[in-house]
Amino acid sequence: MAEAAEEEPARLWPPPVGAYAEERGLFPLLQKMLEELLIHKPDDPIEFMINHLKQNNDDAPRICVLGPPASGKTTVAMWLCKHFDATRISQETLLLEETLALTEEAKAYKEKNQKIPNALWANLIQERLSNVDCIKQGWILEGFPENQEQAWMLQSFGIFPRHVVMLYASDTVLIERSSGKRLDPLTQEVYHTTFNWPSDPVVQQRLEVPPDLSEQEVSRRLLEYHRSFPELFQIYQKVLKSINADQPSVDVLSQVLTFVQTRPRSAAPFTPRLLLCGPSGSGKRLQAALIAQKYGVVNICCGQLLKEAVAENTKLGELIKPYIENGWPVPDNLVLELLAKRLSCLDCLTDGWVLCGFPRDVEQAELLQSSRINPNRVFFFNLPYESIMERLSQRRTDPVTGQRYHTTFRPAPTPEIQARLRQNPRDQEENIEKRLETYFRNLKDLEDFYEDAFYVNADQDPYVVFEFIESCIIKPLPCKKNRHL
C-alpha cells in the first residue's frame, strides 16, 4: 500500500481554483480561522470554527490609537468611529460601562487615586470587546495598550489590532496643547480653546478643565509614555505607523485614514489579471508591455488579437475579417468570444494577463463580467486633451522601414527619411477628436462600474507610471475605492 501511494502522481489544482479562492477571500479567511484556533485551543475545533464564521466580521476595523498626552488620540479615535461606525473604547468609556463585571473594581482604584493594575485594564478590555457591537462593527482602542505588559496580556486573550496609529509631537507642543483642553462631562468629548471650540453655547457653558492637566502632571505622564514607547513600538512595528500630530487636524486624519484602509500582505497565491483603460495616446500598450516583460504575464491587446485571428484564417477570424477590412466596429459578441477563448488558455490562467483595448463602455464591461472575466486590478489612465493631441497628431511612419517617429519626441534621423514620412489617417486631428469624444462619453459609466479602480497620471515619465502600477500590483487592495497616483 505504501509503495502504491508513493507511485500515485501528485494531484495538481486546476488553474481556476486560485482565482475562485482569491475572489472570495478564502485564503485570508482560512488564515484567520487557523490563528483563532491556535490562540483559543478549543476542545471542539469544528464547532469553534462554525461559531466564528457565524459571529465574527473579519472585515471590521480593529485599530489602536496611541500617543502621548494631548497628541489628539481622542479626536482621531472619535473620528474613526464615526467614519467606520465602530465602537470607541478608552479609559473613560470603560469606567462608564456599568454592565461590565469589573467596572466597579476599577472605579474603586480611581476613587482612591490609585493606579489601576494592567491586568484589570486588560480584563476589562477583553470583556468589552467580546460584546456583539465590537465583534460586528469593529473597535477603536484609544490609549490602549499603555505599556508592554498590557500589550502582552491583550495578545494572550487573542486581541490583535490590524492597525496601530502612533501619534507624536514635541513635548513643548504637547504641554502647550494640554493647557487649552476642555472636557464635556455629559458626552466625554474633548474640545480645545484654540483648535476645536464648540459652536453650541450650551456645550460651551458646561465644559470643564480636566483635573490632571497641570504642567507638572503632563510632564510626568509624558515621561512615563516615553519610557513605554520603545517596547510598544517593538511589539506592533509590523502593523504600526507613526504620524506627526503637529499639523492641521485634516492632514492628520487623512494620513490616519489612508493607513487604516491598507491591508497586510498575504502569503496567498496571486495571479495578476490587469485591465488598462484610457484614451488613445495615454501609453496603455507601453505599460502593458513593461508589465508583461517584468512579471511574465500574458500581454493581450484586443486590437492585435483581432488582427491575429484574421491573419490565421480561423473560423472566428473569417467572421471578423469584413469588419476589419471595412473599418467597422467588430460586434461585441465576436470580440468577447475571441477574448474568452484566449483568456481561458493555460498560460493566462496560470501566469495571469494584462488586457487593454476592451472594454470601451459599460455594456462591454458587463459582458466581460457575465463571462466570468474579472480583473483584479483596473487602472484608468488620465491625460490632458492637449497632451493627447500632441502625442498622436505628430506621429509619423516610414513606409520603407515601418519605423515610427514623432516630430517632437523622436524626429527622423536624416532629411531623406524625414521627406518620406507619412501620417496614418487615424492620427489626423479630426479622427483623434472622434475617438476621444467616444471615450469620454462612456468614461463615467465605466468608472462607476469599476469602482475600485486606480487612477494614473499618464502625463509623466513612463517609468514613473510603471512604478506606480507595479506598487498597486504587489500590494493588497486598500479598503476604499478610487485610489489615485
Side-chain angles (χ1 to χ4, degrees), residues 407-471:
T407 57
T408 302
F409 305 124
R410 190 174 179 245
T414 66
E416 291 79 12
I417 296 176
Q418 176 68 38
R420 66 178 186 241
L421 294 183
R422 296 290 181 267
Q423 183 183 38
N424 189 318
R426 283 175 53 85
D427 291 339
Q428 295 173 358
E429 289 197 12
E430 58 270 23
N431 293 329
I432 297 171
E433 288 176 354
K434 289 178 183 177
R435 299 205 304 275
L436 292 181
E437 192 277 330
T438 302
Y439 173 78
F440 287 111
R441 184 175 66 245
N442 296 312
L443 179 60
K444 179 65 170 62
D445 290 338
L446 203 55
E447 288 178 335
D448 290 342
F449 186 83
Y450 292 117
E451 61 177 2
D452 286 329
F454 293 88
Y455 290 81
V456 184
N457 175 14
D459 194 18
Q460 53 185 333
D461 184 89
Y463 290 96
V464 174
V465 174
F466 175 69
E467 287 176 3
F468 172 72
I469 294 174
E470 185 178 31
S471 71

Side-chain angles (χ1 to χ4, degrees), residues 109-110 166 215 229 286 295 297 347 410 414 423 451:
Y109 280 96
K110 192 77 171 176
M166 187 73 77
E215 186 171 329
F229 167 76
L286 173 59
Y295 290 98
V297 301
D347 57 348
R410 190 174 179 245
T414 66
Q423 183 183 38
E451 61 177 2

Side-chain angles (χ1 to χ4, degrees), residues 185-252:
L186 197 61
T187 64
Q188 295 301 307
E189 288 201 46
V190 178
Y191 295 93
H192 195 279
T193 55
T194 304
F195 306 114
N196 181 29
W197 191 244
S199 56
D200 188 343
V202 177
V203 176
Q204 293 176 11
Q205 289 295 322
R206 66 172 183 251
L207 293 184
E208 300 175 352
V209 178
D212 55 351
L213 284 186
S214 66
E215 186 171 329
Q216 293 78 9
E217 176 61 18
V218 173
S219 298
R220 184 195 66 78
R221 290 166 59 195
L222 281 171
L223 182 60
E224 185 177 342
Y225 172 80
H226 290 316
R227 286 172 177 165
S228 303
F229 167 76
E231 296 170 341
L232 287 173
F233 184 88
Q234 187 68 27
I235 293 172
Y236 293 119
Q237 57 182 321
K238 291 185 179 180
V239 294
L240 179 146
K241 183 175 179 62
S242 297
I243 295 176
N244 183 6
D246 189 16
Q247 55 182 322
S249 59
V250 174
D251 295 335
V252 174

Side-chain angles (χ1 to χ4, degrees), residues 288-303:
L290 292 173
I291 293 166
Q293 181 182 23
K294 180 160 185 178
Y295 290 98
V297 301
V298 181
N299 185 1
I300 298 177
C301 172
C302 189

Side-chain angles (χ1 to χ4, degrees), residues 1-288:
M1 291 293 291
E3 291 178 1
E6 288 177 4
E7 292 174 1
E8 184 180 347
R11 294 182 179 179
L12 299 177
W13 291 108
V17 168
Y20 172 85
E22 180 195 329
E23 289 170 4
R24 287 156 181 79
L26 298 186
F27 293 112
L29 176 64
L30 292 173
Q31 180 180 344
K32 177 63 179 175
M33 291 173 64
L34 180 59
E35 289 173 355
E36 293 291 325
L37 286 172
L38 295 176
I39 291 167
H40 297 285
K41 302 180 181 66
D43 294 331
D44 187 346
I46 302 300
E47 184 66 25
F48 177 87
M49 286 191 289
I50 292 172
N51 290 332
H52 174 82
L53 290 172
K54 287 180 178 179
Q55 296 177 4
N56 283 268
N57 177 8
D58 288 330
D59 290 328
R62 286 157 172 73
I63 303 168
C64 289
V65 180
L66 308 179
S71 58
K73 297 187 297 297
T74 301
T75 301
V76 169
M78 295 186 73
W79 186 83
L80 287 174
C81 287
K82 291 176 182 177
H83 185 86
F84 291 112
D85 192 26
T87 303
R88 169 176 162 258
I89 298 168
S90 65
Q91 289 193 9
E92 291 76 15
T93 61
L94 284 174
L95 294 176
L96 290 172
E97 289 284 349
E98 297 181 356
T99 57
L100 300 180
L102 298 172
T103 299
E104 291 303 320
E105 184 180 349
K107 282 183 177 179
Y109 280 96
K110 192 77 171 176
E111 291 168 359
K112 297 176 183 176
N113 291 322
Q114 294 178 350
K115 184 178 176 62
I116 299 175
N118 290 325
L120 183 52
W121 276 129
N123 281 287
L124 266 173
I125 293 169
Q126 182 198 27
E127 186 180 357
R128 182 65 184 89
L129 295 186
S130 64
N131 289 355
V132 174
D133 59 341
C134 293
I135 294 172
K136 295 293 185 183
Q137 297 168 235
W139 43 263
I140 315 293
L141 270 181
E142 177 199 323
F144 287 117
E146 297 176 296
N147 50 53
Q148 184 185 67
E149 186 180 1
Q150 285 184 12
W152 283 345
M153 288 180 176
L154 292 179
Q155 288 185 355
S156 70
F157 295 148
I159 299 170
F160 296 91
R162 292 199 185 98
H163 300 89
V164 176
V165 175
M166 187 73 77
L167 303 172
Y168 71 90
S170 69
D171 287 359
T172 305
V173 169
L174 296 171
I175 292 172
E176 183 179 351
R177 278 189 182 183
S178 297
S179 62
K181 285 179 69 174
R182 297 295 184 269
L183 180 68
D184 185 341
L186 197 61
T187 64
Q188 295 301 307
E189 288 201 46
V190 178
Y191 295 93
H192 195 279
T193 55
T194 304
F195 306 114
N196 181 29
W197 191 244
S199 56
D200 188 343
V202 177
V203 176
Q204 293 176 11
Q205 289 295 322
R206 66 172 183 251
L207 293 184
E208 300 175 352
V209 178
D212 55 351
L213 284 186
S214 66
E215 186 171 329
Q216 293 78 9
E217 176 61 18
V218 173
S219 298
R220 184 195 66 78
R221 290 166 59 195
L222 281 171
L223 182 60
E224 185 177 342
Y225 172 80
H226 290 316
R227 286 172 177 165
S228 303
F229 167 76
E231 296 170 341
L232 287 173
F233 184 88
Q234 187 68 27
I235 293 172
Y236 293 119
Q237 57 182 321
K238 291 185 179 180
V239 294
L240 179 146
K241 183 175 179 62
S242 297
I243 295 176
N244 183 6
D246 189 16
Q247 55 182 322
S249 59
V250 174
D251 295 335
V252 174
L253 296 175
S254 175
Q255 292 175 44
V256 169
L257 185 60
T258 300
F259 168 61
V260 299
Q261 286 173 338
T262 60
R263 295 179 184 270
R265 291 290 298 274
S266 171
F270 173 73
T271 304
R273 301 188 301 277
L274 314 177
L275 176 60
L276 308 185
C277 303
S280 300
S282 58
K284 302 185 298 296
R285 288 192 183 186
L286 173 59
Q287 295 302 324

